[in-house]
Amino acid sequence: MFCVSSPPLSGGYRWALATKTTTNVSTKSRTRGSSLSIRAENKSYLNVNNNRSSPLENNKDQLLVACIQAKSGINVSNEEKDSVEEVIQSVEQYQDKDANIEDLAMGYWRVIYSTAPPPSNGQVIGPIVGTAFQSINKDNATYENVLAVGNWLTLRLKATYEVLENNRWTVTFKSIQVELFEKKEPVFVKDFPEGTTREWLTTFQDEEWRIVRAGRTEKELMNNVFVMRREKPWWETY
């Protein structure tokens, strides 16, 4: 979620996802030996044993497998994105529209998959890949996107948010800073131009999972998805 964008959408994206149809990719059209043949070639335990307490929990399991197989969205093909998107939507359909998104979003989230450009998916440059987290503090309506590469490099984007509707927020980027070797004081800070904003649409949120569509336009909202799971980063566990 480090991507910068223009002012928020004038129209509400709402729940277009509920009626969105995704291109079905047949097994025959997929590349033979693909690491992400979720529905067909790859018969994992979770694919053939749906034994959790509810269809939602089974779909969450499928989504976790899909995100791992897709390597967090790094260098994936369009066919692979379509396969993961299908599983994402299978979870989104269970969103509780009466849930308080802001209350549930409070805390730390690890980004396990994203179709937005790097470094949103954890890729810094080339083969250098880190771990992306998001933290949300509703007490002062702030959040941070943090990308950590081991304990030697940390990129930290600081921002604020405004709740327009329960599941639709406008976020405003404030600054990005670079930290080295677990030092709390940044070695570099750059402020964003005033009014650097984007829109978030939360399409699924519970205590464990968070799925957000983000962008400037409705097309970007459809294409840029972030799948996150609740997890406290290691630098907050000491």
Side-chain angles (χ1 to χ4, degrees):
M1 292 189 177
F2 285 83
C3 305
V4 178
S5 65
S6 301
L9 298 175
S10 57
Y13 180 73
R14 307 300 189 271
W15 286 94
L17 289 171
T19 58
K20 175 178 178 290
T21 57
T22 305
T23 302
N24 291 324
V25 181
S26 67
T27 302
K28 291 183 180 179
S29 67
R30 295 177 184 172
T31 303
R32 181 173 298 177
S34 170
S35 62
L36 195 64
S37 300
I38 299 171
R39 298 298 186 187
E41 293 92 340
N42 186 3
K43 296 295 185 180
S44 70
Y45 173 84
L46 294 176
N47 285 113
V48 298
N49 293 277
N50 293 325
N51 57 4
R52 293 288 296 275
S53 59
S54 70
L56 171 58
E57 295 305 315
N58 286 320
N59 291 351
K60 287 179 181 179
D61 287 343
Q62 297 282 2
L63 181 54
L64 178 58
V65 171
C67 292
I68 293 172
Q69 291 175 334
K71 300 176 183 177
S72 299
I74 298 173
N75 299 326
V76 293
S77 68
N78 289 332
E79 292 177 350
E80 291 171 328
K81 287 181 181 179
D82 287 343
S83 294
V84 180
E85 174 68 20
E86 182 181 353
V87 188
I88 290 173
Q89 291 188 26
S90 76
V91 173
E92 289 175 323
Q93 67 178 319
Y94 289 100
Q95 171 63 20
D96 179 1
K97 296 180 178 61
D98 295 325
N100 187 309
I101 299 297
E102 188 178 23
D103 286 347
L104 290 170
M106 181 81 164
Y108 292 96
W109 301 89
R110 179 171 180 164
V111 179
I112 62 173
Y113 177 81
S114 177
T115 56
S120 297
N121 56 12
Q123 185 177 30
V124 181
I125 184 172
I128 301 177
V129 178
T131 305
F133 283 89
Q134 181 183 99
S135 66
I136 296 176
N137 186 342
K138 73 170 188 175
D139 294 335
N140 53 13
T142 62
Y143 80 91
E144 290 186 353
N145 291 329
V146 183
L147 177 59
V149 182
N151 62 354
W152 63 274
L153 173 64
T154 301
L155 305 178
R156 190 182 304 271
L157 185 151
K158 294 178 176 289
T160 61
Y161 67 85
E162 178 186 359
V163 179
L164 303 180
E165 298 176 6
N166 184 36
N167 67 318
R168 188 167 64 91
W169 303 0
T170 292
V171 299
T172 302
F173 296 149
K174 296 300 184 180
S175 66
I176 188 168
Q177 63 188 47
V178 179
E179 304 165 13
L180 296 176
F181 304 110
E182 298 184 337
K183 293 182 179 180
K184 297 300 182 181
E185 292 298 322
V187 297
F188 173 81
V189 178
K190 180 177 177 60
D191 293 331
F192 285 99
E194 185 176 354
T196 302
T197 64
R198 72 184 305 168
E199 185 170 316
W200 281 2
L201 180 72
T202 303
T203 54
F204 184 84
Q205 179 75 69
D206 64 7
E207 292 287 353
E208 181 187 14
W209 287 80
R210 175 169 168 78
I211 302 175
V212 175
R213 308 273 177 168
R216 300 169 296 178
T217 65
E218 291 189 6
K219 182 177 180 180
E220 287 186 358
L221 282 170
M222 296 291 276
N223 293 335
N224 296 334
V225 62
F226 296 82
V227 179
M228 294 168 271
R229 295 190 73 200
R230 188 178 295 280
E231 180 181 327
K232 183 175 286 190
W234 60 86
W235 60 83
E236 294 289 343
T237 59
Y238 298 136

